[in-house]
Amino acid sequence: MADPIRCAVVGDPVAHSLSPTLHRAGYAALGIAASYDAVRVPAGELAGFVAGLGPQWRGLSVTAPLKREALALADEVSDIARLAGGANTLVRTAAGWSADNTDVPGAAAALRERYPGAATTATILGGGATAASVGLALADLGIGRITVAARNPDNAADAVAAIRRHPAGPEVEVLPLAAVDGRGGVVVSTIPAAAQTPDLVARSLPAEVVFEVTYNEWPTPLVAAATAGGVPVVSGLDLLVHQAVLQFARFTGHDGPLDAMRSAGETAQAAR
């Protein structure tokens, strides 16, 4: 019998990740012989880690701060990963390692699932790699005006450039967080809960929908305020599950069992 395939999520920090819970639930639901772990890999060490992996290793979920490193070491790069400027997925192929980005279609699927409306504008709090991926997802959904608000707008240059490269040509504005003014539409938070001050939360609402990309600190101040005001919320767990389902298919060749993976994630999150 062939050795079970191996997969993992890599990043730093990574111990908090629910990805092992989701992927293991998928393996169990489909009866696939595979393992999935969380491995701490500091910045600058991804290439060395990948070089040491044996043939049983099939795929890696890549989180901060390694998404650009994943792109650089890959033998093949998908169009969406190149557009986003970072990869959250590495898959072993006959040619070596293929880099992909499932955050973009995962974010679009998560938003579609929870919000049937047709917003035309969005404000993204934060300007890092996740902001770029979600911004591209918003453009995929037809949102034509996107504001990126960052503590230091200069640090959002890569994310802004990535969103502007989208074929739909969205109008992208960059502002300091202090200038957020409750423009409505979709409000996306990619910043930590600790950065969601009462003043910023008040200036970020009202909104048609709030998309909070974290799941480790729940509910965040923004989510609490949105829920109190009757604003629908898309959670970081929604994003994690949808992008993981896409990764699962790339790693195993089988469609990811959405319900089983979501249920496992909800149970694990509730237990924290």
Side-chain angles (χ1 to χ4, degrees):
M1 179 181 292
D3 291 337
I5 66 172
R6 296 191 65 182
C7 300
V9 57
V10 294
D12 185 21
V14 77
H16 68 283
S17 177
L18 287 178
S19 290
T21 297
L22 303 185
H23 285 263
R24 290 169 185 169
Y27 301 153
L30 299 186
I32 295 173
S35 66
Y36 189 107
D37 299 300
V39 182
R40 177 179 172 269
V41 178
E45 297 185 14
L46 182 61
F49 175 78
V50 169
L53 297 180
Q56 73 275 31
W57 282 84
R58 186 70 56 83
L60 297 174
S61 305
V62 182
T63 188
L66 305 175
K67 293 183 179 182
R68 287 191 175 89
E69 291 182 39
L71 199 67
L73 68 81
D75 302 284
E76 302 172 347
V77 177
S78 71
D79 289 343
I80 192 63
R82 185 174 288 107
L83 185 64
N88 76 326
T89 306
L90 286 172
V91 183
R92 176 166 257 151
T93 68
W97 288 92
S98 175
D100 199 0
N101 187 309
T102 64
D103 280 335
V104 175
L111 188 57
R112 263 199 239 84
E113 181 182 46
R114 301 291 186 190
Y115 175 66
T120 59
T121 64
T123 299
I124 303 173
L125 308 180
T130 302
S133 295
V134 178
L136 290 169
L138 295 171
D140 278 347
L141 293 173
I143 294 176
R145 290 173 51 215
I146 299 171
T147 299
V148 177
R151 189 178 322 185
N152 182 346
D154 290 342
N155 292 342
D158 288 342
V160 170
I163 300 168
R164 285 177 175 159
R165 287 195 297 266
H166 191 281
E171 176 186 334
V172 185
E173 179 183 17
V174 60
L175 297 172
L177 277 175
V180 170
D181 60 1
R183 301 179 180 196
V186 181
V187 172
V188 181
S189 174
T190 70
I191 63 177
Q196 297 178 13
T197 64
D199 175 64
L200 177 60
V201 169
R203 288 187 287 103
S204 299
L205 299 172
E208 292 179 42
V209 59
V210 164
F211 191 165
E212 172 58 81
V213 303
T214 189
Y215 61 84
N216 195 41
E217 305 168 280
W218 197 265
T220 63
L222 180 62
V223 167
T227 302
V231 177
V233 172
V234 183
S235 74
L237 184 59
D238 293 329
L239 169 58
L240 184 70
V241 170
H242 279 285
Q243 66 81 28
V245 165
L246 298 172
Q247 284 183 335
F248 187 98
R250 286 158 174 73
F251 294 165
T252 69
H254 298 276
D255 290 341
L258 175 64
D259 290 342
M261 294 170 73
R262 190 204 306 274
S263 178
E266 289 173 344
T267 299
Q269 186 179 44
R272 290 186 167 183

